[in-house]
PDB file of all heavy atoms in Angstrom:
ATOM      1  N   PRO A 290     -50.483-157.025 -24.697  1.00 98.00           N
ATOM      2  CA  PRO A 290     -50.535-157.525 -26.074  1.00 98.00           C
ATOM      3  C   PRO A 290     -50.536-156.413 -27.115  1.00 98.00           C
ATOM      4  O   PRO A 290     -49.966-156.558 -28.209  1.00 98.00           O
ATOM      5  CB  PRO A 290     -51.863-158.299 -26.117  1.00 98.00           C
ATOM      6  CG  PRO A 290     -52.176-158.620 -24.689  1.00 98.00           C
ATOM      7  CD  PRO A 290     -51.625-157.482 -23.882  1.00 98.00           C
ATOM      8  N   PHE A 291     -51.150-155.287 -26.777  1.00 98.00           N
ATOM      9  CA  PHE A 291     -51.201-154.179 -27.739  1.00 98.00           C
ATOM     10  C   PHE A 291     -49.820-153.594 -27.992  1.00 98.00           C
ATOM     11  O   PHE A 291     -49.553-153.054 -29.062  1.00 98.00           O
ATOM     12  CB  PHE A 291     -52.147-153.086 -27.232  1.00 98.00           C
ATOM     13  CG  PHE A 291     -53.571-153.538 -27.109  1.00 98.00           C
ATOM     14  CD1 PHE A 291     -54.270-153.373 -25.923  1.00 98.00           C
ATOM     15  CD2 PHE A 291     -54.226-154.142 -28.181  1.00 98.00           C
ATOM     16  CE1 PHE A 291     -55.588-153.789 -25.806  1.00 98.00           C
ATOM     17  CE2 PHE A 291     -55.541-154.562 -28.074  1.00 98.00           C
ATOM     18  CZ  PHE A 291     -56.228-154.393 -26.882  1.00 98.00           C
ATOM     19  N   GLN A 292     -48.950-153.702 -27.007  1.00 98.00           N
ATOM     20  CA  GLN A 292     -47.598-153.175 -27.214  1.00 98.00           C
ATOM     21  C   GLN A 292     -46.907-153.911 -28.374  1.00 98.00           C
ATOM     22  O   GLN A 292     -46.225-153.297 -29.193  1.00 98.00           O
ATOM     23  CB  GLN A 292     -46.759-153.311 -25.942  1.00 98.00           C
ATOM     24  CG  GLN A 292     -47.223-152.402 -24.803  1.00 98.00           C
ATOM     25  CD  GLN A 292     -46.222-152.385 -23.654  1.00 98.00           C
ATOM     26  OE1 GLN A 292     -45.019-152.566 -23.846  1.00 98.00           O
ATOM     27  NE2 GLN A 292     -46.731-152.155 -22.446  1.00 98.00           N
ATOM     28  N   TYR A 293     -47.127-155.220 -28.442  1.00 98.00           N
ATOM     29  CA  TYR A 293     -46.523-155.992 -29.557  1.00 98.00           C
ATOM     30  C   TYR A 293     -47.116-155.556 -30.890  1.00 98.00           C
ATOM     31  O   TYR A 293     -46.421-155.451 -31.905  1.00 98.00           O
ATOM     32  CB  TYR A 293     -46.734-157.492 -29.339  1.00 98.00           C
ATOM     33  CG  TYR A 293     -45.947-158.036 -28.171  1.00 98.00           C
ATOM     34  CD1 TYR A 293     -46.524-158.183 -26.920  1.00 98.00           C
ATOM     35  CD2 TYR A 293     -44.598-158.376 -28.333  1.00 98.00           C
ATOM     36  CE1 TYR A 293     -45.801-158.665 -25.842  1.00 98.00           C
ATOM     37  CE2 TYR A 293     -43.855-158.858 -27.258  1.00 98.00           C
ATOM     38  CZ  TYR A 293     -44.458-158.998 -26.017  1.00 98.00           C
ATOM     39  OH  TYR A 293     -43.725-159.467 -24.963  1.00 98.00           O
ATOM     40  N   ALA A 294     -48.423-155.309 -30.890  1.00 98.00           N
ATOM     41  CA  ALA A 294     -49.085-154.902 -32.133  1.00 98.00           C
ATOM     42  C   ALA A 294     -48.590-153.532 -32.592  1.00 98.00           C
ATOM     43  O   ALA A 294     -48.362-153.306 -33.786  1.00 98.00           O
ATOM     44  CB  ALA A 294     -50.600-154.889 -31.926  1.00 98.00           C
ATOM     45  N   VAL A 295     -48.399-152.629 -31.637  1.00 98.00           N
ATOM     46  CA  VAL A 295     -47.935-151.289 -32.002  1.00 98.00           C
ATOM     47  C   VAL A 295     -46.491-151.337 -32.505  1.00 98.00           C
ATOM     48  O   VAL A 295     -46.104-150.576 -33.398  1.00 98.00           O
ATOM     49  CB  VAL A 295     -48.111-150.308 -30.820  1.00 98.00           C
ATOM     50  CG1 VAL A 295     -47.456-148.964 -31.119  1.00 98.00           C
ATOM     51  CG2 VAL A 295     -49.591-150.116 -30.502  1.00 98.00           C
ATOM     52  N   ALA A 296     -45.700-152.254 -31.957  1.00 98.00           N
ATOM     53  CA  ALA A 296     -44.331-152.428 -32.481  1.00 98.00           C
ATOM     54  C   ALA A 296     -44.391-152.762 -33.965  1.00 98.00           C
ATOM     55  O   ALA A 296     -43.622-152.223 -34.771  1.00 98.00           O
ATOM     56  CB  ALA A 296     -43.606-153.527 -31.710  1.00 98.00           C
ATOM     57  N   GLU A 297     -45.330-153.632 -34.353  1.00 98.00           N
ATOM     58  CA  GLU A 297     -45.477-153.962 -35.782  1.00 98.00           C
ATOM     59  C   GLU A 297     -46.003-152.766 -36.558  1.00 98.00           C
ATOM     60  O   GLU A 297     -45.608-152.523 -37.705  1.00 98.00           O
ATOM     61  CB  GLU A 297     -46.397-155.179 -35.941  1.00 98.00           C
ATOM     62  CG  GLU A 297     -45.750-156.446 -35.401  1.00 98.00           C
ATOM     63  CD  GLU A 297     -46.489-157.720 -35.824  1.00 98.00           C
ATOM     64  OE1 GLU A 297     -47.099-157.745 -36.910  1.00 98.00           O
ATOM     65  OE2 GLU A 297     -46.438-158.685 -35.034  1.00 98.00           O
ATOM     66  N   ALA A 298     -46.920-152.022 -35.959  1.00 98.00           N
ATOM     67  CA  ALA A 298     -47.506-150.865 -36.647  1.00 98.00           C
ATOM     68  C   ALA A 298     -46.431-149.832 -36.992  1.00 98.00           C
ATOM     69  O   ALA A 298     -46.411-149.270 -38.088  1.00 98.00           O
ATOM     70  CB  ALA A 298     -48.593-150.227 -35.786  1.00 98.00           C
ATOM     71  N   LEU A 299     -45.530-149.587 -36.046  1.00 98.00           N
ATOM     72  CA  LEU A 299     -44.485-148.581 -36.283  1.00 98.00           C
ATOM     73  C   LEU A 299     -43.560-148.983 -37.429  1.00 98.00           C
ATOM     74  O   LEU A 299     -42.895-148.128 -38.015  1.00 98.00           O
ATOM     75  CB  LEU A 299     -43.678-148.348 -34.998  1.00 98.00           C
ATOM     76  CG  LEU A 299     -44.356-147.455 -33.960  1.00 98.00           C
ATOM     77  CD1 LEU A 299     -43.643-147.537 -32.618  1.00 98.00           C
ATOM     78  CD2 LEU A 299     -44.423-146.000 -34.445  1.00 98.00           C
ATOM     79  N   ALA A 300     -43.526-150.284 -37.732  1.00 97.00           N
ATOM     80  CA  ALA A 300     -42.667-150.760 -38.821  1.00 97.00           C
ATOM     81  C   ALA A 300     -43.421-150.868 -40.141  1.00 97.00           C
ATOM     82  O   ALA A 300     -42.887-151.388 -41.121  1.00 97.00           O
ATOM     83  CB  ALA A 300     -42.057-152.108 -38.435  1.00 97.00           C
ATOM     84  N   LEU A 301     -44.657-150.385 -40.186  1.00 98.00           N
ATOM     85  CA  LEU A 301     -45.398-150.411 -41.450  1.00 98.00           C
ATOM     86  C   LEU A 301     -44.647-149.603 -42.499  1.00 98.00           C
ATOM     87  O   LEU A 301     -43.916-148.667 -42.172  1.00 98.00           O
ATOM     88  CB  LEU A 301     -46.807-149.808 -41.267  1.00 98.00           C
ATOM     89  CG  LEU A 301     -47.840-150.667 -40.537  1.00 98.00           C
ATOM     90  CD1 LEU A 301     -49.093-149.846 -40.230  1.00 98.00           C
ATOM     91  CD2 LEU A 301     -48.204-151.906 -41.364  1.00 98.00           C
ATOM     92  N   PRO A 302     -44.839-149.960 -43.781  1.00 97.00           N
ATOM     93  CA  PRO A 302     -44.138-149.206 -44.824  1.00 97.00           C
ATOM     94  C   PRO A 302     -44.596-147.747 -44.861  1.00 97.00           C
ATOM     95  O   PRO A 302     -45.687-147.413 -44.412  1.00 97.00           O
ATOM     96  CB  PRO A 302     -44.528-149.931 -46.119  1.00 97.00           C
ATOM     97  CG  PRO A 302     -45.735-150.732 -45.782  1.00 97.00           C
ATOM     98  CD  PRO A 302     -45.658-151.039 -44.328  1.00 97.00           C
ATOM     99  N   GLU A 303     -43.739-146.900 -45.413  1.00 96.00           N
ATOM    100  CA  GLU A 303     -44.016-145.467 -45.501  1.00 96.00           C
ATOM    101  C   GLU A 303     -45.380-145.195 -46.147  1.00 96.00           C
ATOM    102  O   GLU A 303     -46.057-144.217 -45.810  1.00 96.00           O
ATOM    103  CB  GLU A 303     -42.882-144.793 -46.293  1.00 96.00           C
ATOM    104  CG  GLU A 303     -42.858-143.294 -46.254  1.00 96.00           C
ATOM    105  CD  GLU A 303     -42.860-142.692 -44.841  1.00 96.00           C
ATOM    106  OE1 GLU A 303     -42.398-143.358 -43.889  1.00 96.00           O
ATOM    107  OE2 GLU A 303     -43.351-141.558 -44.709  1.00 96.00           O
TER     108      GLU A 303
END
Side-chain angles (χ1 to χ4, degrees):
F291 297 127
Q292 292 190 29
Y293 292 96
V295 172
E297 292 193 30
L299 282 167
L301 285 170
E303 191 54 26

